Amino acid sequence: MQEPVPSTPEAASADAAAAHALTADVARTAAARRLLRAETADAGAVQALAALAAQLLGTPSAEVSLLTDERVVVGAVDALPGPVGTRTSLTESLCARVGAAGERLVVTDVATDPRLTGTAVAADGRVGAYLGVPLRGDDRRVVGAMCVYQPQPRRWTAQDVATLEHLAAAAATQLEVDALDREYARVDRIALLDAAAQAAGLGTFQWDLATGALHWDASLLEVFAYDAESFGGSIDAFNARLHPDDVQPVTVALREAIAACGVYEAEFRVVRPDGTVRWLTARGRALAGPSGAAEQVIGVTTDTTALRAGEERVQQILEDMTVGYFWLDPRWRFGYVNAEAERILGSPREQLLGGDVWELFPAAVGTDFEESYRRVAATGETVVFDAYYPAPLDAWYEVRAVPERGGVAAYFTDITDRRRVLDLAQQARARSELLAAVAAELVEILDPVRALEAVLPHLVPSVADFAIASVLDEGHGGWQQRLRDVAGLHADPAAQPVLDAYRAVRVPALTRSSLIAQVMAGGAHALRTGLPGPGDLVREGPAHDLLARLAPDAVAVLPLRGRGHTRGLLTLGRSGGRGAFTDADVTALREIMAQIGLALDNAHLHAARRDLAEELQRSLLTELPEPDHLHLVARYVPAATGAQIGGDWYDAFVVRDGTTCLVIGDVTGHDLRAAVSMAQVRNVLRGGAHAVVQPPAQILASLDWAIHDLAVGAISTGVLAKVEQPAELAEQGLRLLRWSNAGHLPPLLLHPDGRAELLTRPADLLLGLRAHNQRHDHTEVIRPGSTVLLYTDGLVERRGERLSDGLERLRVTTERLAHLPLEALCDRLIADLAAGSDDDVALLAVRAHPEDEPRPAEAGPRRTPADLAADASPFGLHEAWSSPDAATGARPPADG
């Protein structure tokens, strides 16, 4: 128990006043002490009533306390003061307040109730709501209190109060009965008759057997509703008032006592003239005369009507309960069974009462039932448990077993339906969790084999002991030629090599009547229970030998179907002891298989769309010219994920003035529309650059008008650069890079000494934003051996990173790879910087070689526009380029 929390002075004063009021009433204190049992005594029925209060009112704690000059717990269920026998001060006790006031105490919220402000109970915080009623003895004096409480606040109903008062009356009655039993046990009952008659006003009788005269005192006459005149003074007057059903047993008890000169004990009903019935208990002895034969019978009677009423109230409560209740005596025989227990157990009480519980319910032996009941009997502790009893009951029970009257009492309910609902809910939750786990594995995986490998650990061992995943390849052959076992997993690592070996030889050995053949023929699923024989799954031979080593006791084959196509199969095997695949298993597996099948279908669709996208994208990109002493290289890499067509593009061509144009851009969007817009922008730009021999800024400005007037509807970044060679630079072997930037990333210049420089200049607006834009040219001298790189954002941008970081990474990486040939340089940049990029990547590079030296072998053969046209057309364009221009006499340019 926790140490008590001190109360405030004001609250302490109120508690002290309550304690004083209780102890000042000497008669009340004496009445409470009379009912007080020894601390080591069995709480018996009072303890059962406390447990019943907790159950009926739905609280975790209940308490029955007697209030002498201290509080003594005589019945407890998880009581805060402690178990039965605990003694505490009357101060700082709500029970003392109930006793002092002599009325109920209803507290909805201890923390906010002004009556309890500053009390130890409020400060302690373990009691949130409290309901207490007084216990009254036979003389109506308050001898104690019965209460229930819980940690949370609660609004008590009138029914709650009535129930607790009813139980409190039963508890007080039981305490009175217990007190009488103790008093009778301390002294001989015969010797107690006179004292009882004088101290308690019990009725006395004397029957002279020789004369037949029967003498009753005034108390007994009043009980039987006689007076001195109407009472005949004979045994007939006694029998006349007896209940007809009690006449014979009472007569027999008297005859036996007279015959043996022994004790006479009887309990009977008296029917008074007004029809009321009183219960009496008689105790006496037949006294022998000089002859040794009985001369007279003397004794006392006790009116037990009130006690009987209390017992009947308790019994009525037990009978009206919706909870089953039975009591087992110390020999494990049924001593009481209520109506609900009869219903739940399916046996009338006549068959149960007096019977041995282990003989009547043999399946309980060795289970939680026996272990729990015997623990209660041995320790006196309450035990709460759930347990299953097999057929014929075939039910789950929630049981609260408590010590009672030297035996064990059980309060129990049938929770089979609740368990079934919980089991279904748990199965549904497990199925949902499995589906969610499978979905999480599949959401980022687009490779069918990797998807199946990722799913198997979620099925083994939770669903099966081993699993084999198969895919069905596209094609026109039979399913057995297209089926491939691509993954397998066994719950036992030692058996994994056997499963792998079986998987390697299984498909060729499958029979036409196998479970797999049934599924491939259109079956929803195929199941088999028992070890498969030769031909059931595979033909006799190595595959069957390996299957026999796996020893599946149950096999299930389920198709992995996508959108109208079977994309694969899943074979599941269970070893002995796990049982067959049930309908519930198959239902859950179908949902999972549908999810996997859809993922496989998506993977197939993704692969097909990705191939188509790449093919379309590459068809829109330009084959590069190779002017003399200029080496051009381009790379295009689609995004690592998705099947979308990107808007990244590049172009390179030689225009009429002999300069080489380099173009790179990125049209907004990642779909077919972006690709079409990209093609339109590229073609308009290429045509404009050929038609108008102007600097890049003028060409891009004309492109703005064209995009607007032709309603291309595209917005694009871009860089247009020209590699020029004015006469003054040609004499020095130098070239000039002239470019205009429409919102694109800056070109990168790799100097001959290996130093990389970002040509950062002010960028103009994106192409297509408006018809008229003022654009600007920028220039940079290019020395022999220099390399210019144009690129799109997929090469440098990373999620969550600044663009400047990506640009610096490109510059540093280019410097590190500066020694490589141009083809190798581009490949390494793509490999090092674009692997796993979420965006398309386009890269266009040009390297200027010295003009006074032969074209390097690494640059490949010289390819002019005439060469490209000849490769692409059968109509003699090569000859057209080889002939002098009809108007100018110019020949195709030899260099940029």
Side-chain angles (χ1 to χ4, degrees), residues 193-541:
L193 289 176
D194 291 339
Q198 295 175 5
L202 302 180
T204 62
F205 63 87
Q206 181 179 13
W207 184 23
D208 188 326
L209 298 177
T211 64
L214 179 61
H215 171 74
W216 286 351
D217 66 3
S219 297
L220 199 55
L221 287 173
E222 190 277 331
V223 170
F224 276 78
Y226 283 121
D227 54 26
E229 295 180 358
S230 60
F231 177 53
S234 67
I235 196 67
D236 292 334
F238 170 62
N239 290 336
R241 292 283 198 266
L242 283 182
H243 190 283
D245 293 342
D246 296 337
V247 172
Q248 182 177 358
V250 170
T251 301
V252 170
L254 282 171
R255 287 175 181 172
E256 292 176 351
I258 292 170
C261 289
V263 174
Y264 159 63
E265 289 182 313
E267 187 175 26
F268 49 85
R269 287 162 290 180
V270 174
V271 182
R272 294 151 61 96
D274 61 2
T276 59
V277 177
R278 306 291 290 271
W279 276 93
L280 274 71
T281 299
R283 177 70 184 256
R285 179 180 291 275
L287 303 178
S291 64
E295 282 187 341
Q296 61 180 331
V297 177
I298 62 172
V300 297
T301 60
T302 304
D303 188 340
T304 60
T305 304
L307 296 179
R308 273 283 184 171
E311 292 175 356
E312 289 175 356
R313 286 197 299 270
V314 172
Q315 184 171 348
Q316 188 61 47
I317 291 173
L318 292 175
E319 290 299 320
D320 292 343
M321 284 194 309
T322 58
V323 175
Y325 168 86
F326 61 76
W327 176 73
L328 302 173
D329 67 19
R331 294 184 301 161
W332 302 107
R333 298 185 180 278
F334 283 97
Y336 183 84
V337 178
N338 75 349
E340 183 65 10
E342 288 183 284
R343 187 192 67 79
I344 295 176
L345 298 178
S347 299
R349 63 187 73 191
E350 291 78 13
Q351 293 181 9
L352 298 175
L353 293 177
D356 186 292
V357 65
W358 314 123
E359 294 177 359
L360 292 172
F361 297 94
V365 176
T367 67
D368 286 344
F369 291 105
E370 182 181 22
E371 188 276 332
S372 299
Y373 294 159
R374 292 192 183 277
R375 186 164 57 144
V376 171
T379 66
E381 297 176 352
T382 297
V383 177
V384 179
F385 63 96
D386 290 357
Y388 171 76
Y389 194 93
L393 296 181
D394 187 24
W396 276 90
Y397 301 99
E398 181 184 79
V399 185
R400 180 183 180 89
V402 300
E404 185 177 302
R405 290 178 285 163
V408 175
Y411 300 84
F412 62 101
T413 56
D414 186 333
I415 59 170
T416 305
D417 291 341
R418 188 173 75 193
R419 289 284 299 218
R420 185 178 296 112
V421 171
L422 288 175
D423 289 344
L424 291 175
Q426 290 173 352
Q427 293 172 13
R429 182 169 61 251
R431 185 162 61 249
S432 297
E433 290 173 351
L434 180 57
L435 283 168
V438 170
E441 291 287 359
L442 296 175
V443 68
E444 296 293 341
I445 300 177
L446 294 173
D447 177 73
V449 175
R450 285 185 55 216
L452 291 171
E453 289 174 343
V455 165
L456 292 187
H458 295 286
L459 302 176
V460 176
S462 62
V463 176
D465 293 309
F466 70 83
I468 297 175
S470 313
V471 295
L472 192 64
D473 292 333
E474 297 285 352
H476 300 289
W479 64 264
Q480 200 159 3
Q481 284 72 46
R482 295 184 290 122
L483 190 68
R484 288 186 297 124
D485 290 341
V486 296
L489 183 63
H490 202 292
D492 182 3
Q496 187 65 43
V498 180
L499 181 65
D500 291 339
Y502 173 63
R503 182 165 59 88
V505 298
R506 182 178 77 142
V507 173
L510 291 171
T511 65
R512 294 183 179 276
S513 60
S514 66
L515 300 182
I516 291 177
Q518 296 174 30
V519 171
M520 292 307 303
H525 62 271
L527 304 175
R528 178 182 176 82
T529 303
L531 186 65
D536 290 339
L537 291 178
V538 293
R539 291 191 295 272
E540 194 167 4

Side-chain angles (χ1 to χ4, degrees), residues 709-757:
D709 293 345
L710 298 176
V712 174
I715 297 176
S716 175
T717 66
V719 171
L720 171 61
K722 281 189 173 186
V723 181
E724 303 173 353
Q725 194 172 39
E728 65 273 14
L729 293 181
E731 295 174 357
Q732 305 174 54
L734 303 176
R735 295 175 175 83
L736 184 69
L737 180 69
R738 187 186 304 273
W739 78 96
S740 181
N741 189 334
H744 200 77
L745 300 170
L748 180 72
L749 174 61
L750 178 61
H751 294 280
D753 61 2
R755 179 172 51 87
E757 176 188 0

